[in-house]
Amino acid sequence: MIVGQQKPFDEIWGMVKDHKQLTVFGCNTCVAVCHQGGNKEAEILASLLRMRATQEGVEIEIKNGGIERQCEHPFFESAKDLLDSSEAILSMACGIGVQFVAEKYMSTPVYPALNTTFLGDVKTDWHFTEKCQACGDCILGITGGVCPVSRCCKRLFNGPCGGSSKGKCEISKELDCAWQLVVDRLEALGKLNDYEKITPIKDWSKDRAGGPRSFKLEGF
Ligand code: SF4
Ligand code: SF4
């Protein structure tokens, strides 16, 4: 899932306060799981913005709503009337959703309520950890299922750096060294010999270095 964190409230207020009307628009999938951008959070944020407007004597009508996913066309049908009549939209989706809304509503200002942070998993209900950077050429098959792109601070592909110590990364004693995790997993799989294999230089053109990527299913 995509993890995001709500921007500081003052930053959000600063972006939207000059409008006469605003719709706070939730996205009820990934960013709802991390309790930052779902329809419930949109309702709460809209209330906080109304209070701030009252405190500062700013006249702004604030509505709120939301859909299941702000990154797919079909979900927008249920919110058409709300968005068509909006002067400005504060999207609570990840950066994909914000750009999707901005493309759909070319002449409506669309603002991000979140900082999109990473592709991660749900460690516990309230704790999310980074697991993937969508590098475009997955190598989990040779690293025992541990991603060195997102979990090694130096993105190393052939073993740990000299700073790895007692299984921890040199940047923090709290952080597992990704390469220790790779070794542990290969050992558990009985494939420790794989650790000796040299991983060739990665083709980063499949990552962001190759520009925006696209994927089109043939035959449709
Ligand atoms: S190797 Fe690339 S695609 Fe695979 S998990 Fe890591 S970042 Fe994601
Ligand atoms: S200590 Fe481990 S995780 Fe940290 S940068 Fe070095 S190899 Fe990567």
Side-chain angles (χ1 to χ4, degrees):
M1 57 176 270
I2 299 172
V3 179
Q5 288 175 281
Q6 255 178 54
K7 284 179 173 290
F9 186 69
D10 283 347
E11 184 182 341
I12 293 174
W13 175 244
M15 287 190 287
V16 302
K17 65 182 169 50
D18 293 330
H19 290 286
K20 291 282 168 247
Q21 192 280 327
L22 175 74
T23 296
V24 183
F25 195 51
C27 184
N28 221 20
T29 307
C30 306
V31 288
V33 175
C34 59
H35 311 282
Q36 298 296 299
N39 296 351
K40 185 178 69 184
E41 286 78 18
E43 195 174 336
I44 294 167
L45 183 58
S47 297
L48 292 171
L49 288 166
R50 285 185 204 108
M51 278 192 264
R52 181 68 174 262
T54 304
Q55 278 170 352
E56 297 200 4
V58 172
E59 278 191 28
I60 173 171
E61 182 203 2
I62 300 174
K63 295 191 267 191
N64 63 274
I67 54 176
E68 211 54 25
R69 284 207 280 280
Q70 289 187 30
C71 53
E72 284 188 63
H73 292 292
F75 292 96
F76 280 80
E77 203 50 46
S78 63
K80 189 175 183 313
D81 291 345
L82 174 68
L83 296 180
D84 283 354
S85 62
S86 296
E87 183 197 315
I89 299 166
L90 178 63
S91 167
M92 300 190 69
C94 71
I96 306 165
V98 178
Q99 293 181 66
F100 202 87
V101 178
E103 280 177 26
K104 281 183 87 69
Y105 290 87
M106 281 298 281
S107 55
T108 306
V110 180
Y111 301 100
L114 306 189
N115 290 324
T116 305
T117 40
F118 55 80
L119 309 183
D121 64 1
V122 186
K123 201 173 167 94
T124 68
D125 269 0
W126 300 93
H127 185 188
F128 311 92
T129 54
E130 182 163 23
K131 287 290 187 300
C132 175
Q133 293 187 3
C135 75
D137 189 11
C138 192
I139 64 155
L140 290 178
I142 57 173
T143 56
V146 177
C147 172
V149 180
S150 52
R151 299 178 72 179
C152 168
C153 304
K154 295 174 188 162
R155 293 179 155 201
L156 298 178
F157 279 75
N158 282 294
C161 69
S164 177
S165 172
K166 297 181 180 162
K168 298 295 176 187
C169 176
E170 70 172 331
I171 73 150
S172 165
K173 288 190 172 56
E174 307 297 312
L175 193 65
D176 289 326
C177 167
W179 273 97
Q180 181 68 55
L181 299 178
V182 172
V183 168
D184 291 348
R185 175 93 166 124
L186 289 176
E187 198 167 19
L189 294 172
K191 295 174 84 176
L192 201 49
N193 284 347
D194 281 5
Y195 178 61
E196 301 294 326
K197 294 178 186 164
I198 302 294
T199 304
I201 292 171
K202 188 169 166 62
D203 177 5
W204 287 104
S205 69
K206 294 174 182 168
D207 191 84
R208 285 288 301 115
R213 295 161 286 179
S214 72
F215 168 57
K216 187 170 183 295
L217 285 174
E218 297 301 330
F220 292 93

